[in-house]
Every structure is written in C-alpha cells, then in structure tokens.
C-alpha cells in the first residue's frame, strides 16, 4: 500500500483527569459510573456517538439474558440497576419474568414466557430465568441520567473518537482523540479502553488476537431494524401451531437475502417487533465488511416485509417499517491476551480465582448456564501499566469469548475496571498492583455478589455447590473427559 508521512504537529491538551474511559458502551458507561461512585473525582467518558450504550441502544440489542441461576440473581450491580431505575422512572419500559419469580416452576408462568428467548431455563426442570426485555430509548435516557447525577465528577465527551494511546515508559499517559473541534489530547492517570475492539490496546503493543472461532455466534455482524403493526398474539399462536411452516419461511428469507435473518418476532408492546440478522464470516474491524453488512441489510428490508405480508398475512398484513438501527451490531473483533486468558476450561472445571471481579450466570450450556468466575487479570494487558480493557474485547480465547461478550459481562467487567481505576488513583499504585481485596469489597458494596466474600450471603455459594457448579450433565462430563476437544465446547 502507498503511504503518507504525516507532518509533526502540536495539538491542544483538552483536559487532564484521574480516569479516562474511552467508549461509552455498556462497559465504558459502567466503568465511568463505578469509578465516580468509588471516589474518583475527575472522570472523563469519551464516546464517538451522541449517546451511551453502544450496541445496547445503538443496534437495538433490547434484551439482557441469563441474569439468574436457579433461584438467585447472580448478575446484579449496575446491570440490575438499569432495570430498577427504568421500572421506577418509566413504568412499562421493561418486561420479562419478575425478580420475585426467579426459579418458579409454575406451569402458567412458564407458558406465559416460553415464547420469549432465555426467559425459561434450557434444562429440566423448567423454571423462570431473570432475562429482561426493555425499551431502548428509555434506557438511553436513563444512562444519561446516571451520568448527570455524577456531573460533578464525570465529564462526558460525546462525538469524540479516541484514536491513539499516548505511551511513555511502558505506561499509558493519555489518549489522542478526534472531534468536530479537531485533534486533541486528554491525559489521565488511568485509561480504560472500552472501545469494544481494542482500538487503543492494539496500538499500545500488547498481545492480542483477532476474531472468534468460525463456528461461534460471535463470528457475525448484524444490523437490526424494527417494524410496527404486527398482530403479536396471532403470530405467537401461529408459530406454536405451525413450527415447520415457520422454519420454512425463515429458510426462504435466508435464501432470498443470502444471510440469516429472523422474521419479525421479537415482540414488543403495541404491536412492534424487532428483526435481527446474522452476516457470517464478517470482520467488524473491516471497513469493507461493516459497509457490506449495512448495505446488504437495508437492500433486503422491503423484500422481507413484502414476503411476510404474503406468507403470514394474519400477523403481518398491516406491518410497516419503523426504524433501522443507527449502528452496526458487532460481537467480536480483537481479543486481548491479558494476564489471564479465559477458556472453556473455566466453565468445564469451575475455576476459582482469588482476583474474581464478576461471578456471572452465562449462556454456556456446558455448565448449565451456572455462574462462572471472571478474574481481574483478564482485563489487565501485558506490558503496559495503568490501562484496563473491560468489555467484549477482554481476555478470552476464540471459543470462550462467545459466552462472555454479552451485555452482563461487559457491564460486570466495566464496573470492576472503574472501581479498580479509582482505587489505583486513590492509593497511588499502578493497575497491575492495585489492592484487589479493596476492589472486591467496593464491588460488593456496589451490589455485586462475589464468591467467598464475607459480605455476600452464603446462600449464593451454597446454591452453586448444591448444583455441582452446573456440571452434573452429559455435555459437561464429555468435555471434562476430553478437555482439548473443541467440537464438544461448541455444543453449547
């Protein structure tokens, strides 16, 4: 490729701060909020778009799965705070099994929710799972409100794209960013790369890898869109009574488009539906692939709507296009190779970590969606200090990342990164040497249950042990007998 030598240039230092968070997706937003609540006085949250949430609000990922295991909510903290705030400030903006119904086996409630993905446990006995669907614009407002409540500590820079780390003596000192005001710099004591694709750490010279396993859900891109005018009650009944015809219709749409696309079925209140698609073998750090995803999706929207009206008129005859997501949905770009790399073995062998910062139920079937421990070391890069890397690009191998890059894990690692950054600044240490016990205690105070912590109700640990860490199933036994057999891991 041809190259151009950029002239040396003096740029303005826009600000100096204690903690700089680059990326206001669910990881970065949580990091900024948690850092301020943990005592950081000068926090800057930088985001290329004009809103927080990333894929959550920008690509209509309007459901958070698997927040509970059996009868207890293992994913709490800022994640559960979202829904508590929305239920209080915007009644009717969330829906799904209620917190008090977690683990219930009531047949009427199971029937009520079984058509909604991830609201009923995948294994027997069937029971309700805390998975929450929500109104995206209402969440967008609530995320801003959380930042505004901490306005004395958090400065928000929307429409600002962090582009390059400033590295000196194996420490990150700040970030260069671009905006309508031109190129400028922010200096910070701790920088949190929450860009989702490691946009900063990959330029800092730390080890990382690219993309996920070809056979996983994460090796795709998507562009969601929404429709109105759907008779959802009719559609639910029709799908239940005509499963073969439903599958055939989905296959026809895939044949028509060349990629996998759902029919409008992720029902919302008032006859609205969400439409997802999966474009396989796409690289979400490639300009070409991102552009192709968006243009190919938009090209076929009218055709899909027309087909649906003809194929299932009882549900779709009055359907119309409402909106197209403002940003591409992506699942895995770059993956950090940090101080600890999570693998399927962490699920199959219930690995315990002294530096655990999140203890999450996940979508992994190997351990029956039971909680898995995420260590602090998995957000710490090798070779560079004062840089933390939470979110969907954190340290996991090409298979395990598929179970760990969802919204709850992004929020959990982001919240922990924010607390760790605040404590490192307060105590004058580097992020590699942060007082992890202090980090864990503050996280528990922020409503995050952690295993083996004296301040956490013992019933959590007892439930996990009683259920053998979710490993009393045939798939888990197969994996444990052949831990290097990747084909077994993929059957989640």
């Amino acid at each position: 490729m041809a190259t151009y030598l950029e002239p040396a240039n003096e740029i303005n230092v826009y600000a100096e701060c204690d903690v700089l968070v680059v990326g206001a997706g669910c990881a970065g937003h949580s990091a900024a909020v948690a850092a301020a609540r943990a005592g950081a006085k000068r926090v800057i949250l930088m985001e290329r778009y004009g809103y927080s949430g990333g894929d959550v609000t920008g690509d209509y990922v309007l459901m958070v799965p698997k927040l509970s295991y059996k009868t207890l909510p293992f994913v709490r903290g800022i994640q559960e705070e979202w829904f508590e705030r929305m239920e209080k400030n915007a009644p009717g903006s969330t829906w799904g099994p209620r917190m008090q119904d977690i683990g219930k086996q009531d047949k009427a409630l199971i029937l009520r929710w079984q058509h909604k993905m991830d609201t009923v446990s995948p294994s027997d006995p069937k029971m309700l799972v805390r998975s929450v669907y929500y109104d995206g614009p209402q969440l967008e407002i609530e995320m801003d409100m959380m930042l505004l409540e901490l306005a004395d500590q958090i400065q928000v820079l929307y429409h600002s794209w962090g582009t390059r780390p400033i590295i000196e003596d194996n420490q990150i000192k700040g970030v260069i960013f671009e905006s309508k005001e031109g190129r400028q710099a922010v200096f910070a004591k701790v920088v949190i790369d929450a860009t989702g694709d490691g946009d900063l750490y990959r330029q800092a010279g730390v080890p990382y890898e690219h993309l996920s396993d070809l056979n996983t859900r994460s090796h795709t891109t998507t562009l969601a869109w929404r429709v109105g005018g759907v008779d959802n009650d009719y559609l639910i009944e029709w799908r239940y009574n005509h499963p073969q015809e439903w599958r055939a219709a989905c296959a026809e749409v895939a044949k028509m488009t060349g990629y996998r696309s759902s029919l409008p079925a992720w029902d919302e209140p008032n006859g609205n539906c969400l439409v997802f698609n999966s474009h396989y073998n796409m690289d979400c750090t490639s300009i070409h692939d991102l552009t192709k995803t968006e243009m190919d999706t938009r090209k076929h929207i009218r055709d899909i709507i027309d087909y649906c009206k003809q194929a299932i008129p009882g549900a779709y005859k009055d359907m119309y296009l409402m909106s197209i997501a403002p940003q591409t949905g992506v699942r895995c770009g770059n993956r950090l190779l940090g101080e600890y790399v999570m693998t399927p073995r962490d699920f199959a062998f219930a690995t315990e970590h002294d530096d655990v910062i999140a203890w999450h139920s996940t979508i992994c079937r190997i351990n029956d969606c039971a909680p898995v421990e995420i260590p602090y070391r998995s957000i710490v890069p090798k070779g560079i200090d004062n840089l933390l890397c939470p979110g969907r690009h954190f340290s996991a191998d090409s298979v395990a990342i598929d179970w760990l890059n969802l919204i709850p894990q992004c929020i959990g690692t982001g919240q922990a990164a924010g607390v760790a950054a605040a404590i490192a600044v307060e105590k004058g240490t580097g992020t590699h040497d942060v007082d992890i016990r202090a980090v864990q205690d503050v996280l528990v105070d922020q409503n995050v249950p952690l295993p083996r912590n004296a301040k956490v109700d013992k019933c959590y640990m007892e439930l996990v042990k009683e259920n053998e860490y979710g490993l009393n199933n045939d798939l888990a036994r197969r994996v444990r007998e052949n831990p290097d057999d990747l084909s077994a891991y993929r059957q989640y």
Side-chain angles (χ1 to χ4, degrees):
M1 296 179 64
T3 60
Y4 169 71
L5 183 61
E6 187 175 8
N9 182 36
E10 287 188 355
I11 62 174
N12 179 54
V13 176
Y14 183 88
E16 298 183 12
C17 62
D18 295 325
V19 180
L20 169 62
V21 183
V22 182
C26 49
H29 178 274
S30 299
V33 169
R37 291 176 177 173
K41 302 300 183 185
R42 299 181 300 161
V43 180
I44 290 179
L45 177 61
M46 183 182 293
E47 166 58 40
R48 61 173 169 160
Y49 294 116
Y51 52 85
S52 288
D55 275 357
V56 181
T57 51
D59 190 49
Y60 301 167
V61 184
L62 305 181
M63 187 274 282
V64 177
K66 298 289 191 295
L67 303 179
S68 63
Y69 177 65
K70 302 299 183 182
T71 58
L72 291 175
F74 279 82
V75 185
R76 299 207 312 259
I78 290 175
Q79 175 67 93
E80 187 58 41
E81 182 182 346
W82 280 9
F83 308 128
E84 292 174 353
R85 294 176 65 106
M86 292 175 72
E87 288 161 7
K88 176 184 177 181
N89 299 326
S93 62
T94 68
W95 53 98
R98 299 175 302 174
M99 182 70 80
Q100 59 264 40
D101 292 333
I102 290 173
K104 284 188 176 179
Q105 301 177 35
D106 180 271
K107 291 183 179 180
L109 288 174
I110 297 293
L111 182 64
R112 162 71 176 84
W113 290 110
Q114 65 182 359
H115 74 285
K116 301 289 284 184
M117 190 173 76
D118 285 323
T119 57
V120 177
S121 62
S123 57
D124 291 325
K126 299 298 182 185
M127 60 182 65
L128 293 182
V129 176
R130 177 68 169 164
S131 294
V132 183
Y133 290 72
Y134 48 89
D135 182 280
Q138 290 290 353
L139 177 59
E140 195 172 312
I141 293 171
E142 204 60 51
M143 295 180 86
D144 270 357
M145 296 304 295
M146 294 171 72
L147 297 172
L148 290 169
E149 289 168 6
L150 296 163
D152 289 343
Q153 296 165 268
I154 301 176
Q155 180 182 4
V156 180
L157 302 182
Y158 285 150
H159 305 287
S160 301
W161 194 321
T163 57
R164 179 173 297 180
I166 300 170
I167 306 293
E168 296 178 8
D169 300 324
N170 295 323
Q171 291 190 11
I172 190 165
K173 298 293 186 178
V175 169
I176 295 171
F177 73 101
E178 302 277 359
S179 73
K180 289 287 189 179
E181 298 179 18
R183 179 182 296 185
Q184 301 181 83
V186 172
F187 283 87
K189 296 176 182 177
V190 176
V191 174
I192 297 176
D193 182 349
T195 61
D197 292 310
D199 292 344
L200 299 179
Y201 71 63
R202 69 180 176 82
Q203 299 181 74
V206 307
Y208 71 95
E209 287 187 345
H210 193 50
L211 299 180
S212 62
D213 187 281
L214 286 170
N215 296 285
T216 62
R217 169 195 62 88
S218 292
H219 202 76
T220 61
T221 53
T222 187
L223 181 67
W225 44 286
R226 297 172 69 224
V227 296
V230 177
D231 187 333
N232 281 316
D233 291 337
Y234 180 95
L235 180 61
I236 291 168
E237 185 176 351
W238 191 91
R239 287 182 62 188
Y240 181 80
N241 292 319
H242 302 85
Q244 293 183 343
E245 289 84 352
W246 175 260
R247 287 192 292 270
C250 291
E252 183 62 29
V253 169
K255 181 180 177 182
M256 176 195 315
T257 61
Y259 53 81
R260 180 183 176 187
S261 177
S262 68
L263 273 64
W266 284 56
D267 59 291
E268 307 173 37
N270 305 318
N272 302 334
C273 273
L274 190 61
V275 185
F276 275 116
N277 42 71
S278 295
H279 299 253
Y280 287 94
N281 299 323
M282 289 291 197
D283 180 352
C284 63
T285 63
S286 160
I287 297 172
H288 173 273
D289 287 2
L290 289 171
T291 302
K292 181 175 174 57
T293 296
E294 298 218 13
M295 295 189 72
D296 278 0
T297 299
R298 290 191 288 263
K299 179 175 70 174
H300 289 105
I301 288 175
R302 293 169 179 163
D303 295 333
I304 293 173
I305 290 175
D306 182 62
Y307 171 76
C308 288
K309 288 182 175 182
Q310 296 181 57
I312 316 174
Y316 296 134
K317 64 181 176 64
D318 296 322
M319 181 170 65
Y320 59 92
L321 176 65
M322 289 179 59
S323 62
I324 304 171
Q327 69 181 72
T328 311
V330 292
R331 296 182 174 94
C332 182
N334 298 311
R335 292 177 290 103
L336 181 70
L337 294 179
E339 294 291 347
Y340 184 89
V341 180
M342 295 199 70
T343 75
R345 291 172 182 259
D346 288 297
F347 294 83
F349 293 92
T351 309
E352 294 185 356
H353 299 284
D354 287 341
D355 61 338
V356 58
I357 51 171
W359 191 27
H360 281 191
S361 39
T362 72
I363 62 172
C364 181
R365 298 288 182 85
I366 291 174
N367 67 341
D368 193 32
C369 304
V372 63
E373 297 186 18
I374 301 175
Y376 175 70
R377 288 163 294 155
S378 66
I379 65 171
V380 178
K382 295 180 178 178
I384 297 291
D385 203 11
N386 296 330
L387 174 64
L388 295 173
C389 310
R392 63 181 176 83
H393 60 207
F394 86 118
S395 185
D397 74 7
S398 64
V399 175
I401 194 66
D402 204 46
W403 311 314
L404 293 167
N405 61 7
L406 282 82
I407 296 167
Q409 290 74 51
C410 291
I411 291 179
T413 54
Q415 185 169 359
V419 170
I423 290 176
V425 170
E426 177 190 0
K427 298 193 175 185
T429 70
T431 51
H432 279 76
D433 303 317
V434 71
D435 183 346
I436 192 61
R437 297 292 174 264
V439 172
Q440 291 168 332
D441 285 343
V442 172
L443 284 170
V444 171
D445 291 340
Q446 291 189 1
N447 197 31
V448 175
L450 294 176
R452 301 175 299 280
N453 188 287
K455 295 191 289 184
V456 175
D457 194 316
K458 293 180 180 179
C459 68
Y460 280 83
M461 200 72 236
E462 291 169 354
L463 177 68
V464 172
K465 289 181 177 180
E466 176 186 337
N467 289 278
E468 301 178 50
Y469 297 86
L471 298 171
N472 51 354
N473 62 78
D474 289 339
L475 179 57
R477 284 187 280 272
R478 176 187 167 191
V479 168
R480 291 163 71 90
E481 290 170 2
N482 300 283
D484 296 320
D485 181 6
L486 286 181
S487 65
Y489 294 138
R490 294 185 184 116
Q491 294 187 31
Y492 59 88

